[in-house]
Amino acid sequence: FASAQPLLNYWFNPQQQISQHSIEFIKVSTVTDLEQQLSAAKLAGKPVMLDYYADWCVACKEFEKYTFHAADVEAKLQDFVLLQADVTKNKMTDIALLQKLNVLGLPTIEFWNANGEHIVNARITGFMDAPNFLEHLKTHQL
């Protein structure tokens, strides 16, 4: 049997079907990659968002589908350097990336301001929908 879900998604979320993803994440796989990207962002005067992601993390996929690509969130994230650390395979480099910022579980999202300062209290752990995510960015002046 065929699934009716794509058709239901189209009927109830037509804007989602025609949205083109206008944001892209830069993959970081080592602590050195992360440090280089943070330095470059600081020189450019841009804030940074680092998304720790894994294929087995359901909430990570929900962020991707429902939050990051919502039109108003995409518009806001245009101003950011967007980094993503895929720690699916739990390699030594993945573990080092998780330990670098003391990440204990996924999803975890970290932020740095345009001056390159890590905004520790802006950390997100767990899923957040688009309106709450935007409010979070505003609260932390990102």
Side-chain angles (χ1 to χ4, degrees):
F1 295 101
S3 172
Q5 193 61 48
L7 194 53
L8 292 171
N9 287 344
Y10 179 77
W11 286 336
F12 294 107
N13 294 315
Q15 74 283 356
Q16 190 175 14
Q17 300 302 315
I18 48 179
S19 73
Q20 295 295 317
H21 299 312
S22 63
I23 58 167
E24 289 190 29
F25 287 83
I26 299 166
K27 304 294 184 196
V28 292
S29 55
T30 66
V31 171
T32 302
D33 289 349
L34 174 60
E35 290 171 347
Q36 288 172 344
Q37 291 296 332
L38 290 173
S39 293
K42 182 179 177 182
L43 285 173
K46 294 187 101 177
V48 174
M49 182 180 90
L50 170 62
D51 174 37
Y52 283 96
Y53 172 90
D55 288 343
W56 45 261
C57 170
V58 173
C60 298
K61 293 178 182 231
E62 290 175 331
F63 261 115
E64 185 75 25
K65 184 173 182 177
Y66 301 113
T67 305
F68 296 151
H69 294 293
D72 45 355
V73 173
E74 278 198 350
K76 179 66 176 167
L77 292 180
Q78 294 291 332
D79 301 333
F80 284 73
V81 172
L82 302 173
L83 305 178
Q84 189 173 64
D86 184 344
V87 295
T88 301
K89 295 180 180 171
N90 207 29
K91 300 179 293 188
M92 292 304 293
T93 53
D94 298 342
I95 293 166
L97 271 170
L98 293 166
Q99 289 175 340
K100 168 85 173 156
L101 294 166
N102 197 30
V103 174
L104 302 176
L106 298 182
T108 295
I109 302 172
E110 298 284 349
F111 296 94
W112 288 260
N113 66 20
N115 297 324
E117 298 160 340
H118 185 209
I119 311 299
V120 178
N121 65 345
R123 172 184 274 192
I124 295 173
T125 56
F127 178 71
M128 190 177 281
D129 65 13
N132 286 318
F133 184 80
L134 286 169
E135 186 61 33
H136 182 82
L137 295 178
K138 188 190 308 181
T139 299
H140 294 283
Q141 300 174 345
L142 293 162

